[in-house]
Amino acid sequence: MTEPQTEYDAIVIGAGMSGLACAIRLGMFDKKVALIEKHSVPGGLNSYFQRVKKDKEGNRVGIRKFDVGLHALTNFAKKGEKNKPLLKILKQLRLRYDSLEIQEQSYSQVLFNEKVLKFTNDIEFLVAQVKEVFSEEGERFEKLVKFVEEFDDTSLEFEFTSTKNELKKQGFSNEFIECLLCPLLFYGSSWENDIDLQQFVILFKSIFMEGFARPYGGVRTLINPLVEKLKDNNVDVRFKTAVKKIIKENNKVSGVELEDGTVLKTNQVYSSVGLPETESLLMKEKSKVGNLTFVECLYVFEKKIDREVNDSTISFFNYADRFNYECPKTPTDFRSGVFCIPDNYEKVESEEGMIRITFIANYDHWNKFSEKEYLAEKEKVKEQGLKLIKKLCPQDNRELLYTDIFTPKTITKFTSHKGGTVYGSPLKKRDGLTETKDLYVIGTDQGYLGIVGSLLSGITMANIYGLKGGL
Ligand SMILES: Cc1cc2nc3c(=O)[nH]c(=O)nc-3n(C[C@H](O)[C@H](O)[C@H](O)COP(=O)(O)OP(=O)(O)OC[C@H]3O[C@@H](n4cnc5c(N)ncnc54)[C@H](O)[C@@H]3O)c2cc1C
């Protein structure tokens, strides 16, 4: 790494996926770049952590490695395929496809009350499933696939268009719309009970048409080479360093002030912390904080799941009369969520087994709890998760060794996202521009989210504003 300096061509705030990609890309073209990250490790919402592993007597016997967020890498592509976002990203960041050791999912499914709709990385499989499970929607769904293929999802303008209204206009039933949207909302909507149409198209392609995969070794397999690239490209990376303030002169960005009072001067700032959070760094709060946050439960078992018991990769479930993708009135909504078995790939690094469950949560409840109430709600979440495991894996008799639960409060603690949001604000800045000249929003609130989306956002914003000089 280069020696710390105080003047840079560009400063990137946040070393999540978008910040990492943005800093690497700018560094590749000889820009003097600083990447400032509040936390001690990179990855942001898709980071990693470890916990001490103990035996039954409580003796330390090693460590367990966890991914914070990785259920699956979306946008699967085979080596050498044309026009695939994942391959474009790897090319732009000069990463080798083989270095990720990507494995395809077996299959995933939507469990919508009594209905089961399976999908793989082949859209034809889903078309056949729709014809079987929702026979009257089959032809319409084929047309929807064409509609998605022909839709221009590259527009940098943002005006919310309701996907639900569009799907109703196309004649789909409410039940089918909710079933189809269940995975897409869970994997990327910052809007309650709906999603912007362009975002829907992006997610439909990345989840249903390209599909899910997992790098062997989890998210570290992706993050470690990115950190190497920062070094190769002389990016000045500062962990455990928070930006306190973005400084501007005559409405043009001129630097940032760090928490310890150090001022770093720069011509450009790329902020990945979120739109309302960026506004706070400008001492001006305007944009709406999103309403959607989650609890995530990680269950570690003595061994991997028997595939006879359950061989799916991800199950998006809804057991309510209608699918309520909204901030619940209670602290946690157990009626719907995501059930992920990361063991169900061909090769998995750990001997132990894992199940991950995501439920929708209410930030205000979790944030206001006393210590006692907080722990009691976590216990409740753990029990509800175990009930779900019994329901979806009835013959699973493995011993449970360890549970880790993180809450909306944990998300805010480690990523500084207001309201514990994962998909950011309902307002997106697709062109990355802000009211302050040379201050750009990247990542989730630019409107590209998930691992692949955020990487793409960082690359695109660096290419447009750092390397080409503007739109
Ligand atoms: C539980 C969970 C499961 C998920 N599962 C998946 C999945 O399976 N597949 C998938 O593709 N996506 C998944 N996601 C979503 C994905 O992780 C995010 O969309 C993506 O990582 C967002 O990246 P980002 O760069 O936009 O923002 P972030 O990751 O939020 O990065 C922002 C960074 O800025 C830092 N920061 C904040 N304030 C400051 C400051 N003042 N100074 C310096 N640094 C600061 C934060 O610490 C953070 O590191 C999941 C997320 C969660 C939480």
Side-chain angles (χ1 to χ4, degrees):
M1 300 269 161
T2 49
E3 285 301 304
Q5 305 171 30
T6 52
E7 284 199 43
Y8 295 90
D9 295 321
I11 290 175
V12 180
I13 312 177
M17 295 296 169
S18 62
L20 289 167
C22 181
I24 292 170
R25 199 65 200 146
L26 294 169
M28 272 177 186
F29 290 85
D30 292 332
K31 302 276 178 195
K32 256 169 57 183
V33 186
L35 174 60
I36 312 292
E37 169 56 54
K38 198 168 178 177
H39 194 23
S40 53
V41 287
L45 287 164
N46 230 301
S47 188
Y48 49 81
F49 61 99
Q50 61 187 42
R51 291 280 179 268
V52 171
K53 184 171 167 181
K54 292 183 179 164
D55 63 13
K56 283 181 183 145
E57 284 72 47
N59 303 311
R60 187 188 166 126
V61 289
I63 53 156
R64 283 198 182 95
K65 293 181 172 182
F66 295 97
D67 289 333
V68 169
L70 183 73
H71 291 181
L73 195 70
T74 57
N75 300 82
F76 172 74
K78 291 202 170 80
K79 194 174 179 176
E81 279 188 279
K82 294 269 173 291
N83 293 325
K84 290 294 167 90
L86 179 63
L87 303 188
K88 283 187 195 162
I89 287 168
L90 296 181
K91 193 172 169 201
Q92 293 263 314
L93 297 175
R94 297 182 198 148
L95 290 175
R96 285 185 312 108
Y97 180 91
D98 293 336
S99 72
L100 292 187
E101 296 186 62
I102 295 177
Q103 302 170 77
E104 270 190 81
Q105 67 164 334
S106 49
Y107 69 92
S108 289
Q109 55 191 351
V110 192
L111 307 175
F112 209 79
N113 289 315
E114 299 307 309
K115 295 213 161 73
V116 179
L117 190 69
K118 293 187 178 177
F119 60 96
T120 60
N121 293 355
D122 174 5
I123 187 68
E124 292 309 324
F125 180 89
L126 177 58
V127 170
Q129 275 282 296
V130 171
K131 285 183 179 164
E132 197 182 312
V133 182
F134 291 92
S135 52
E136 67 288 8
E137 308 284 12
E139 259 181 53
R140 264 192 288 276
F141 188 68
E142 276 179 312
K143 285 189 192 144
L144 178 65
V145 174
K146 286 218 166 59
F147 170 87
V148 166
E149 281 168 340
E150 286 163 10
F151 191 97
D152 175 16
D153 60 9
T154 58
S155 167
L156 292 181
E157 308 268 302
F158 175 73
E159 196 180 328
F160 180 82
T161 306
S162 162
T163 299
K164 273 199 173 163
N165 287 350
E166 174 59 36
L167 296 180
K168 277 184 201 153
K169 206 171 83 193
Q170 293 187 16
F172 290 104
S173 69
N174 284 339
E175 187 193 22
F176 180 75
I177 292 172
E178 289 185 359
C179 178
L180 183 74
L181 288 186
C182 182
L184 306 187
L185 302 197
F186 269 119
Y187 272 6
S189 179
S190 53
W191 300 274
E192 291 185 307
N193 292 316
D194 207 343
I195 186 165
D196 171 58
L197 190 59
Q198 183 170 332
Q199 193 79 45
F200 163 79
V201 168
I202 292 171
L203 284 168
F204 189 102
K205 286 181 185 166
S206 68
I207 293 173
F208 292 144
M209 298 176 83
E210 289 159 7
F212 293 144
R214 182 178 188 273
Y216 179 77
V219 79
R220 290 167 176 83
T221 306
L222 174 63
I223 291 178
N224 291 343
L226 292 176
V227 172
E228 284 302 309
K229 291 278 165 197
L230 293 171
K231 285 186 202 154
D232 295 348
N233 293 293
N234 298 320
V235 176
D236 175 8
V237 188
R238 303 190 189 190
F239 287 112
K240 291 193 191 168
T241 307
V243 170
K244 188 168 78 182
K245 195 172 155 191
I246 296 171
I247 306 167
K248 53 182 189 173
E249 282 164 29
N250 300 325
N251 207 37
K252 183 198 174 320
V253 103
S254 63
V256 301
E257 184 183 334
L258 306 179
E259 292 245 293
D260 67 3
T262 310
V263 171
L264 305 179
K265 289 188 181 164
T266 185
N267 295 321
Q268 292 189 319
V269 171
Y270 295 82
S271 173
S272 71
V273 304
L275 184 58
E277 294 82 353
T278 302
E279 287 168 356
S280 292
L281 296 177
L282 285 163
M283 311 296 153
K284 148 183 135 177
E285 309 210 355
K286 221 176 76 178
S287 302
K288 190 174 171 347
V289 175
N291 263 345
L292 289 152
T293 183
F294 305 95
V295 285
E296 179 86 357
C297 321
L298 285 69
Y299 298 92
V300 179
F301 294 91
E302 51 169 330
K303 57 181 180 188
K304 294 195 199 330
I305 198 159
D306 180 345
R307 302 238 169 135
E308 300 279 309
V309 170
N310 191 329
D311 62 347
S312 66
T313 308
I314 301 175
S315 303
F316 301 87
F317 61 91
N318 171 58
Y319 296 115
D321 292 343
R322 58 171 296 259
F323 173 42
N324 298 282
Y325 184 80
E326 60 194 22
C327 178
K329 292 194 173 61
T330 51
T332 318
D333 185 347
F334 300 108
R335 297 171 301 171
S336 63
V338 187
F339 186 89
C340 168
I341 312 181
D343 300 350
N344 283 341
Y345 287 91
E346 205 179 309
K347 277 193 312 172
V348 182
E349 55 287 354
S350 164
E351 289 295 305
E352 293 175 334
M354 151 109 27
I355 289 183
R356 312 181 61 115
I357 304 176
T358 314
F359 296 114
I360 308 175
N362 175 313
Y363 180 82
D364 288 339
H365 274 291
W366 281 93
N367 192 37
K368 281 182 196 146
F369 279 150
S370 65
E371 178 73 12
K372 203 170 146 204
E373 290 167 332
Y374 186 80
L375 293 176
E377 184 67 18
K378 269 179 101 168
E379 196 52 34
K380 188 168 162 192
V381 169
K382 176 180 164 183
E383 291 308 317
Q384 290 291 330
L386 287 173
K387 271 194 199 158
L388 190 70
I389 294 173
K390 272 271 155 288
K391 184 179 171 90
L392 300 184
C393 312
Q395 282 101 38
D396 189 3
N397 297 319
R398 293 172 299 162
E399 188 187 348
L400 177 67
L401 300 181
Y402 182 79
T403 312
D404 203 299
I405 293 175
F406 61 87
T407 74
K409 253 184 116 170
T410 328
I411 295 176
T412 299
K413 181 173 170 198
F414 288 105
T415 65
S416 303
H417 285 296
K418 290 175 189 274
T421 55
V422 172
Y423 302 129
S425 166
L427 179 65
K428 302 296 177 197
K429 293 277 181 192
R430 288 235 169 86
D431 56 11
L433 294 171
T434 66
E435 287 169 10
T436 305
K437 192 167 179 313
D438 296 326
L439 168 63
Y440 309 107
V441 171
I442 61 170
T444 305
D445 280 346
Q446 194 235 327
Y448 293 90
L449 32 84
I451 298 169
V452 172
S454 303
L455 290 170
L456 193 59
S457 159
I459 292 170
T460 314
M461 293 295 98
N463 286 353
I464 294 178
Y465 300 112
L467 309 180
K468 278 200 223 138
L471 279 169

